[in-house]
Amino acid sequence: NQNAKSLEHIEQISEKHDAYQEAQFIKSLIFYSAGRINEAQEILSAINDKFQKTERAHFLASHVALVLGRIHFQKGEYKKAYESYL
């Protein structure tokens, strides 16, 4: 399974690596597409909490907010979904 192989590679990326947040974002998308909504949400929330104020982080933050908004909407958490999109 391609997702399993991707997850294996993602798990090898250290938190100190420049691409760690991006790798975690991809991991959340794999979980989201597999219906593992709560796990995806936990990862996205953790990424959101750790963002540094860089242009690269800002670009990723917009994608994280979009997916978090979708998850909240899917769970019927409409106020949180709205806040994620802001």
Side-chain angles (χ1 to χ4, degrees):
N1 178 327
Q2 189 64 36
N3 285 345
K5 289 180 184 179
S6 297
L7 288 172
E8 285 179 27
H9 291 291
I10 289 168
E11 292 303 325
Q12 296 176 12
I13 298 173
S14 164
E15 283 189 53
K16 295 178 182 180
H17 195 282
D18 287 343
Y20 178 76
Q21 290 180 331
E22 288 88 344
Q24 292 301 300
F25 178 68
I26 292 168
K27 181 179 177 179
S28 75
L29 293 178
I30 291 169
F31 285 171
Y32 182 70
S33 67
R36 296 167 65 178
I37 305 299
N38 291 332
E39 291 167 283
Q41 184 177 12
E42 287 176 23
I43 293 167
L44 292 167
S45 294
I47 293 170
N48 224 12
D49 292 343
K50 293 180 182 179
F51 272 127
Q52 298 174 13
K53 304 297 180 202
T54 65
E55 185 174 324
R56 183 176 177 184
H58 180 71
F59 176 77
L60 184 59
S62 63
H63 293 294
V64 168
L66 178 66
V67 178
L68 267 175
R70 287 179 180 168
I71 289 172
H72 287 305
F73 188 85
Q74 187 174 357
K75 290 176 139 188
E77 300 169 346
Y78 303 114
K79 184 177 180 183
K80 287 182 180 180
Y82 174 76
E83 290 168 355
S84 290
Y85 290 129
L86 296 180

